[in-house]
Amino acid sequence: MLRSLLSAAPFALALALPGFAAEPADVVIRHAAIVDVANARVLPDQTVVLRGQDIVAVGADAELAEHWQAKRSIDGRGRFLIPGLWDMHVHFGGGPALIEENKALLPLYVAHGITSIRDASGDLPEQVLAWREAIREGSLAGPQLFTSGAKIEGLRPVWKGTLEVGDEAGVDAALDRLRADRVDFVKITDSTLTPPLFLYALSQARAAGLRTSGHIPMALTVAQAVDAGIRSLEHIDYAYKAGVKDEAAIAADFAAGRIDRAEASRRLRQGFDRETALAAYRQLAAKGVYVTPTLNGGRIIDFLDVDDHERDDYLAYIGPGLRATYAWRVERAAKAAPAQITARHEHYRELAAVLPLLQQAGVTVMAGTDAGFLNSYNYPGVGLHEELALYVREGLTPAQALASATRAGPAWFDRLDRYGDIAPGKAADLVLLDRNPLEDIQATRAIHAVVLRGTVHDRADLDRMLAAARRQVAEWNAQRVP
């Protein structure tokens, strides 16, 4: 008993001594089985006490519950309590006309147990920054929102909503703007940004203490980006590239104009080597570089010839303007010849095979979906559960997959002091499940309740969120009918 109360907090110990009355709390979750994600174990029959946005005590129900008087008690008997889920790669965009449709996606994350998201930049950076502050202030409902703001790019890039830079002074000005916006990290992409400026932007962001992620130019090796300071590789393709034996030669040939992108991609696909990959991944791990695989988004596109998404139930939660942004990838995939379709299937399997190698080498795998505008049928909310299921299918254990969505995100932001565990002093962001996710990762879908910043949303509340989203989309659909 003494050990349990000591772990709960000093004031909790005092309450256990004679002469102390029950302490007031906002919420007590009783008899739950806590999933200790860090140690891949289940702690049965636990009580978790919440006050405001904080967890204030955790311990065996028989020892702790009687010392607290809560406004609301939740029976967790037969259920499993996990830290809130994090989706570390989402997008908002599609232009100003779709601002409201994008904002309507926020409750979908909460309804699926996702209490924090990382926006990896789109073309609505100012709106997303405003939503971040409104969520923090409590005037907008939604998950905790981290954002890169506008991405750094070269001049006249493919992607909109960027800070265009053509020289080092432009990079410096862009970083000054992002610091003024108090972004949570910096996203750097390679549509038109030159390789030297890409490396310069990484190094300057690192010098300024800013975390970075991005898309690495074909003319650079992954190791060059890592040495310059990139902190997360977005999409498993770049991890695959790092495992190619002749990566440096291919990058040099592309940079010199001796080969085009198609030939560079062909050589990369032929050059993957397991031992080269493991050595590269051990370097990623040693330098603290995380990988966000976004497997599900790639799988969806690669298998559009097999899977018919036109009647997906989840389309009822996606506004008509956002659905329209799906068309370009769908149309491009439909034009593929049979040989190209076969190559897509094979390439997905090649990329997916990288995942257990990353885990073996000690790289932190960070769950992210790439959900949002443009990315066809990659749905905000449910997409994270699909991503985790793929991780297990492709070789991770359920515990490893769960850690990628509960602990990796906080670790990347250096916030494990506050998130990723169920313990006193941690944030009251929790998900109560009907089944054990350490036995079956699909249990993350069996949500009984979500606690977001200390507020409990039971199953009825979550269903009301989803119903409201469907009604709103139905209204937008009706407005589009001639």
Side-chain angles (χ1 to χ4, degrees):
M1 176 178 181
L2 180 61
R3 176 183 295 178
S4 173
L5 292 174
L6 279 172
S7 68
F11 63 82
L13 174 62
L15 292 174
L17 299 176
F20 285 87
E23 182 79 1
D26 293 319
V27 178
V28 170
I29 303 172
R30 299 193 59 190
H31 300 296
I34 289 179
V35 179
D36 175 6
V37 181
N39 296 294
R41 61 177 181 168
V42 171
L43 306 175
D45 201 27
Q46 299 288 296
T47 280
V48 179
V49 183
L50 313 180
R51 183 187 286 156
Q53 298 186 23
D54 303 313
I55 299 172
V56 296
V58 179
D61 185 84
E63 299 173 358
L64 194 61
E66 65 181 339
H67 301 292
W68 296 90
Q69 182 65 45
K71 299 174 184 175
R72 181 171 185 178
S73 180
I74 298 173
D75 185 2
R77 204 181 314 265
R79 297 189 171 96
F80 298 82
L81 193 65
I82 64 171
L85 299 169
W86 290 48
D87 187 336
M88 287 291 284
H89 194 120
V90 309
H91 292 288
F92 298 98
L98 300 186
I99 289 174
E100 291 305 311
E101 287 192 23
N102 278 273
K103 188 191 292 187
L105 301 176
L106 293 171
L108 298 180
Y109 288 106
V110 178
H112 289 88
I114 300 165
T115 56
S116 295
I117 57 176
R118 182 182 67 153
D119 163 56
S121 191
D123 60 11
L124 299 173
E126 294 180 0
Q127 285 73 23
V128 176
L129 285 164
W131 296 342
R132 180 189 66 177
E133 298 311 307
I135 289 169
R136 288 177 179 175
E137 295 165 358
S139 59
L140 176 64
Q144 177 175 220
L145 175 55
F146 299 93
T147 181
S148 64
K151 69 179 77 64
I152 293 178
E153 250 293 0
L155 302 176
R156 296 176 295 280
V158 171
W159 306 112
K160 298 178 181 179
T162 66
L163 299 176
E164 298 184 19
V165 302
D167 53 26
E168 292 185 355
V171 171
D172 294 339
L175 289 172
D176 286 343
R177 157 76 182 277
L178 294 173
R179 279 196 295 269
D181 287 340
R182 294 178 295 111
V183 297
D184 301 294
F185 70 107
V186 174
K187 177 81 175 285
I188 310 169
T189 53
D190 66 330
S191 169
T192 59
L193 188 65
T194 65
L197 284 181
F198 183 89
L199 295 176
Y200 179 79
L202 286 174
S203 64
Q204 292 303 104
R206 178 172 62 181
L210 297 168
R211 296 172 186 83
T212 53
S213 78
H215 297 175
I216 301 169
M218 182 70 82
L220 296 174
T221 66
V222 173
Q224 286 176 297
V226 169
D227 290 343
I230 200 166
R231 284 285 306 276
S232 70
L233 304 183
E234 305 305 315
H235 317 302
I236 204 165
D237 310 61
Y238 295 107
Y240 182 93
K241 185 173 184 286
V244 172
K245 198 167 188 177
D246 296 327
E247 183 200 10
I250 296 168
D253 284 346
F254 182 80
R258 290 187 289 268
I259 59 174
D260 61 13
R261 183 171 294 274
E263 176 62 12
S265 298
R266 186 192 67 79
R267 287 173 59 182
L268 287 171
R269 284 198 59 188
Q270 292 182 344
F272 186 84
D273 175 72
R274 177 186 174 88
E275 294 309 314
T276 299
L278 285 172
Y281 302 161
R282 284 191 285 267
Q283 284 299 305
L284 295 181
K287 296 189 176 186
V289 177
Y290 292 18
V291 174
T292 315
T294 65
L295 270 186
N296 192 46
R299 182 198 61 81
I300 291 169
I301 298 302
D302 289 342
F303 290 89
L304 278 175
D305 60 296
V306 175
D307 303 322
D308 181 9
H309 295 280
E310 290 296 326
R311 293 177 177 81
D312 283 359
D313 291 341
Y314 210 85
L315 287 171
Y317 300 104
I318 308 300
L322 287 173
R323 295 198 308 272
T325 70
Y326 292 175
W328 77 286
R329 289 193 193 275
V330 174
E331 291 169 359
R332 186 173 65 177
K335 294 175 182 177
Q340 292 172 311
I341 292 172
T342 298
R344 281 200 318 242
H345 293 182
E346 292 175 352
H347 193 45
Y348 169 78
R349 287 187 280 269
E350 292 164 353
L351 293 175
V354 167
L355 189 65
L357 298 183
L358 291 168
Q359 190 75 41
Q360 179 183 336
V363 176
T364 300
V365 174
M366 192 157 60
T369 59
D370 212 11
F373 78 114
L374 294 178
N375 294 330
S376 314
Y377 311 117
N378 194 350
Y379 302 121
V382 71
L384 184 66
H385 301 281
E386 295 174 350
E387 184 83 8
L388 297 183
L390 283 181
Y391 291 175
V392 173
R393 191 178 86 180
E394 302 301 345
L396 300 193
T397 67
Q400 290 166 344
L402 188 62
S404 76
T406 55
R407 294 183 58 80
W412 195 76
F413 279 117
D414 294 328
R415 297 301 308 276
L416 277 177
D417 62 324
R418 183 68 175 155
Y419 301 95
D421 197 6
I422 300 174
K426 303 288 187 178
D429 286 354
L430 306 165
V431 185
L432 188 60
L433 304 173
D434 289 330
R435 297 187 286 114
N436 183 359
L438 297 184
E439 294 179 352
D440 178 7
I441 196 62
Q442 298 283 3
T444 60
R445 299 171 181 257
I447 298 173
H448 181 76
V450 175
V451 182
L452 178 62
R453 294 184 289 276
T455 297
V456 178
H457 301 280
D458 61 20
R459 186 64 257 171
D461 291 336
L462 302 176
D463 289 340
R464 280 191 287 270
M465 287 183 197
L466 293 171
R470 289 179 69 101
R471 285 195 301 272
Q472 179 61 79
V473 170
E475 291 178 12
W476 284 327
N477 290 343
Q479 292 167 8
R480 288 220 166 191
V481 174

